[in-house]
Amino acid sequence: MPEWIWPGDSLAIAGDDRGLAYGQGVFETLRVTPAGPALLEAHLDRLIAGCRVLGIPFGSREAEAWWRQASADGLLAPETPAVLKVTVTGGSGGRGYRPPEVVSPRVITSVAPVPEVPREGARIRLCRQTLAAGAPAQGYKTLARLDQVLASAELAADEFEGLMAVDEQSGWIEGTRSCLFSVMGQTLVTPPRDQLAVAGVLRDWLVANLDRMGLTVEERGLTWSDLWKHGLLLGNSVMGLVPVRECDGRVLALTNEARQLVESVNREFGFE
């Protein structure tokens, strides 16, 4: 997996890196093709906003400098589709939680193959591990992803994703790595953005473009009854939209409206 660290071209991460030691950092994963990255502007906006919340001085000027080097190295337009991961940490800071007087961000960039995705339907499960609510950097893709790590450890080898809730009353809020959608007639039901551990880039695009797809949106947690009656779609900006075939051993329906939405969105971004 090609990897480099900005500024410069180091291949080593210092042992006192604050992202490694304390989770002070954010990351983005982008699908990149010969035509360029999908939803790049939205990814960079979320990355920069997350850095601002965590006190990491990585703004548009630093992002532009990183962009120039990434472009020169051919990482933003590979010959075949790939996944680009960009991680920005608080850099080196010595011992203790208190940040240094001058924070020098460290950007770790890596490229990996596009993962296999069950386009015809995923097998998933309902996870026991819950989501932490009300975190200061909730919505941003911070390095503090322990809830998702523990939930993912519950999955069997043939299970593609796991659904997570905040509590028994919230309904199912998101997957370990995806946003959730259920098409109910002409309404797309998806959990509220302000409850998500990660406010999905593809989710935001989809909600903003629903009118041209003939759909309206309703934001709320999803119940088991919702899944059983109307089915479920998983989505993120690396895999696109993926229908769920089976959840906890029960087969879920895939309606014509949901199938049309999957085909439309995946065609839009070349996920087919």
Side-chain angles (χ1 to χ4, degrees):
M1 180 172 65
E3 188 172 276
W4 58 274
I5 299 173
W6 182 90
D9 291 292
S10 173
L11 295 178
I13 301 172
D16 63 352
D17 184 88
R18 295 183 63 81
L20 176 65
Y22 308 120
Q24 186 187 5
V26 292
F27 69 100
E28 295 288 331
T29 48
L30 301 81
R31 185 183 179 95
V32 289
T33 70
L39 296 166
L40 175 64
E41 184 176 349
H43 278 289
L44 290 180
D45 285 348
R46 186 174 64 180
L47 184 75
I48 291 170
C51 285
R52 187 182 305 117
V53 170
L54 296 185
I56 301 173
F58 185 85
S60 56
R61 183 177 60 183
E62 290 78 15
E64 183 178 347
W66 167 83
W67 164 273
R68 286 197 299 268
Q69 185 170 351
S71 296
D73 290 348
L75 297 177
L76 301 181
E79 294 182 1
T80 58
V83 177
L84 178 71
K85 182 176 181 180
V86 185
T87 303
V88 183
T89 78
S92 294
R95 291 181 55 79
Y97 295 130
R98 182 176 296 183
E101 291 186 10
V102 178
V103 176
S104 299
R106 178 175 286 118
V107 184
I108 305 160
T109 308
S110 59
V111 179
V114 173
E116 292 290 329
V117 176
R119 292 291 174 203
E120 297 304 312
R123 184 169 183 264
I124 69 171
R125 77 156 57 204
L126 307 176
C127 292
R128 297 184 302 275
Q129 175 64 38
T130 57
L131 290 162
Q138 184 168 329
Y140 301 109
K141 212 164 186 181
T142 70
L143 298 182
R145 303 259 67 86
L146 189 56
D147 291 346
Q148 289 76 16
V149 170
L150 295 176
S152 296
E154 298 179 29
L155 304 182
D158 62 345
E159 291 173 331
F160 181 72
E161 177 63 300
L163 305 193
M164 303 179 70
V166 174
D167 52 43
E168 293 182 358
Q169 288 73 45
S170 68
W172 301 103
I173 297 299
E174 63 191 310
T176 65
R177 53 186 170 134
S178 62
C179 290
L180 311 181
F181 309 94
S182 186
V183 183
M184 304 182 187
Q186 298 304 307
T187 300
L188 181 74
V189 179
T190 188
R193 191 179 193 276
D194 62 2
Q195 292 184 16
L196 301 177
V198 177
V201 165
L202 182 66
R203 177 198 181 278
D204 286 352
W205 179 91
L206 185 54
V207 169
N209 287 274
L210 279 181
D211 55 345
R212 68 182 176 91
M213 301 178 191
L215 297 172
T216 58
V217 65
E218 178 185 349
E219 294 188 300
R220 62 172 174 82
L222 294 168
T223 66
W224 173 249
S225 178
D226 292 329
L227 307 187
W228 179 241
K229 291 180 180 178
H230 304 284
L232 180 67
L233 305 177
L234 312 173
N236 67 33
S237 59
V238 169
M239 67 185 184
L241 288 183
V242 176
V244 172
R245 173 176 54 83
E246 182 182 311
C247 179
D248 269 16
R250 297 183 68 176
V251 176
L252 301 187
L254 177 61
T255 65
N256 288 333
E257 292 85 358
R259 190 187 306 276
Q260 290 170 7
L261 181 64
V262 169
E263 292 174 353
S264 176
V265 172
N266 288 350
R267 188 185 310 116
E268 178 94 20
F269 294 103
F271 291 120
E272 300 166 307

